[in-house]
Amino acid sequence: VEEGLQDRRDVLAAQAGDRRAYARLVGRYTRRVHDLARRMLRDPHEAEDVVQHAFLNAWRALERFEPDRPFRNWLLRIASNLCRNRLAARKRSRELPPRGGDDPLPEAPAPETASLAPALVAPDRVRAAIEALPERYRLPVILHYVQDLPLKDVAEIVDAPVATVKTWLFRGRAALKEILAAPETSAPGPGTTLGNAP
Amino acid sequence: MTPPELPPRSAVPDGPEDPFEAALFAQELLPEPEGLAERVVAALPRRGRVLSLPALARLAAAVLLVLGTSFAAFGTAPTLAQAEVLEGARDLLPVPAVDLGDLGLSGATETDDVPAGVLGAAGLVLLGGGLILARRLLRRPPSSRENP
């Protein structure tokens, strides 16, 4: 609630041309936007680019933004759409999705059993498995589990009903379990295990 | 591969009831590159009391259309009664007095010191520019999902 009030104050000031107020919003949400872009794109340079463009687009469209709506959701929607556009462009150009760039994913041993007790699943393996999810499931999984956003906010960001988000999360969890139970030492590229989401 | 069979929606939990979800919720936000927020702020374009580029373009289009229409109207069909107006209009456009005969505009009904043909031609050019600019401004930008 407090964050929402601060956002509203800063948005109103930024709409009046106060760059320092917008800088506070940037400082508050850079890490969140970067995390989303980094996990969606799996490329640190592209993620940085998305952060720049997301805040730039938000700054340009700020006059049209309704301050009573949550700025965080609006910003994350802009960022997720930028990520989707880049993923679609990659698909069109048939580029192979880059792995980690200068921040390679660590390799961890596969679990010996398929029970996947949480204590046995290394955080890095979970991270790699999330990044290997098909795009449609990856975005809600990141927003809900990693960024800890409530289902209502995730639904607003991905522009889908809450029931659909729950379905995607269920399918995402099932896909994650399948990826983590696989014997490979590293997670496959996005969409390669389970194909594209329906 | 077929997706796993869905349970009824009412059976899908909202919270971390599944122990597997605990491992997911334990994920922490990745650290952002150092100085990223500062670089983002530094790259923001200036926005203040001066006119923005689109507003400036709209103003330019309007000025071009008004001036162009006026110049073209006066320049292409001037009468002696309009000579004073033409004098005033010519002051707005830094066009030197030209012998219209040299320009092949002998058909223009110019007065002695008002280059009506030149004014009319300049008016048409301005009008054309204004129309082109206005058309570009009125054309809808390509749909962008970035700005919901």
Side-chain angles (χ1 to χ4, degrees):
Chain A
V1 176
E2 180 61 28
E3 196 179 62
L5 289 174
Q6 283 179 351
D7 282 0
R8 192 175 182 281
R9 267 199 305 271
D10 288 337
V11 164
L12 285 169
Q15 283 177 328
D18 185 350
R19 284 170 70 93
R20 283 176 302 175
Y22 194 72
R24 284 195 293 274
L25 290 166
V26 172
R28 204 172 297 146
Y29 290 114
T30 296
R31 187 171 185 189
R32 200 179 270 276
V33 175
H34 175 263
D35 178 88
L36 175 69
R38 179 75 180 79
R39 291 177 193 268
M40 285 296 290
L41 299 171
R42 307 202 308 168
D43 181 306
H45 304 297
E46 271 201 285
E48 213 171 305
D49 227 28
V50 163
V51 174
Q52 294 260 7
H53 278 99
F55 281 109
L56 185 63
N57 289 355
W59 171 252
R60 284 176 176 154
L62 200 61
E63 284 171 1
R64 301 195 299 273
F65 176 68
E66 170 55 53
D68 290 329
R69 292 182 59 206
F71 176 79
R72 179 192 64 190
N73 293 358
W74 183 63
L75 180 68
L76 287 175
R77 187 169 178 181
I78 293 173
S80 59
N81 285 336
L82 284 169
C83 291
R84 283 171 172 168
N85 289 348
R86 285 178 183 243
L87 290 171
R90 268 189 207 167
K91 203 172 178 180
R92 277 197 301 274
S93 63
R94 295 173 182 276
E95 279 177 10
L96 286 174
R99 299 298 308 261
D102 56 5
D103 183 17
L105 297 172
E107 291 188 354
E112 290 179 2
T113 67
S115 64
L116 297 173
L120 298 178
V121 183
D124 287 337
R125 286 203 74 232
V126 177
R127 171 187 158 188
I130 291 172
E131 291 173 2
L133 280 174
E135 180 197 330
R136 178 166 293 182
Y137 305 149
R138 204 182 330 154
L139 180 59
V141 163
I142 292 169
L143 292 171
H144 183 56
Y145 291 116
V146 181
Q147 306 230 345
D148 205 15
L149 298 183
L151 288 174
K152 184 174 69 68
D153 289 4
V154 177
E156 187 180 332
I157 293 166
V158 302
D159 196 19
V162 170
T164 306
V165 171
K166 284 183 179 179
T167 302
W168 287 340
L169 289 175
F170 173 78
R171 289 181 176 170
R173 281 199 307 272
L176 277 173
K177 284 180 180 174
E178 196 174 318
I179 292 169
L180 289 168
E184 297 99 287
T185 52
S186 61
T192 52
T193 303
L194 302 169
N196 287 327
Chain B
M1 182 176 290
T2 53
E5 201 172 321
L6 287 177
R9 278 179 176 163
S10 58
V12 179
D14 274 350
E17 294 168 15
D18 180 354
F20 176 62
E21 288 194 50
L24 293 175
F25 275 117
Q27 288 282 303
E28 290 185 355
L29 293 184
L30 300 170
E32 77 273 27
E34 201 174 331
L36 179 58
E38 288 75 16
R39 288 202 297 279
V40 168
V41 173
L44 293 176
R46 292 275 161 198
R47 198 175 62 181
R49 290 179 179 80
V50 290
L51 283 175
S52 64
L53 199 60
L56 211 59
R58 280 195 290 273
L59 186 65
V63 169
L64 283 175
L65 286 173
V66 170
L67 277 182
T69 308
S70 307
F71 285 9
F74 287 129
T76 51
T79 64
L80 289 175
Q82 291 168 328
E84 283 186 21
V85 182
L86 285 171
E87 282 281 1
R90 194 184 60 169
D91 291 342
L92 294 174
L93 193 70
V95 180
V98 178
D99 185 345
L100 295 176
D102 294 343
L103 296 175
L105 298 172
S106 55
T109 54
E110 75 281 4
T111 60
D112 285 344
D113 53 353
V114 178
V118 175
L119 198 62
L124 287 175
V125 170
L126 289 177
L127 191 58
L131 286 172
I132 290 170
L133 192 56
R135 191 164 168 266
R136 287 180 75 97
L137 289 171
L138 290 175
R139 192 186 302 155
R140 282 189 61 171
S143 67
S144 167
R145 292 192 301 174
E146 287 86 359
N147 296 325

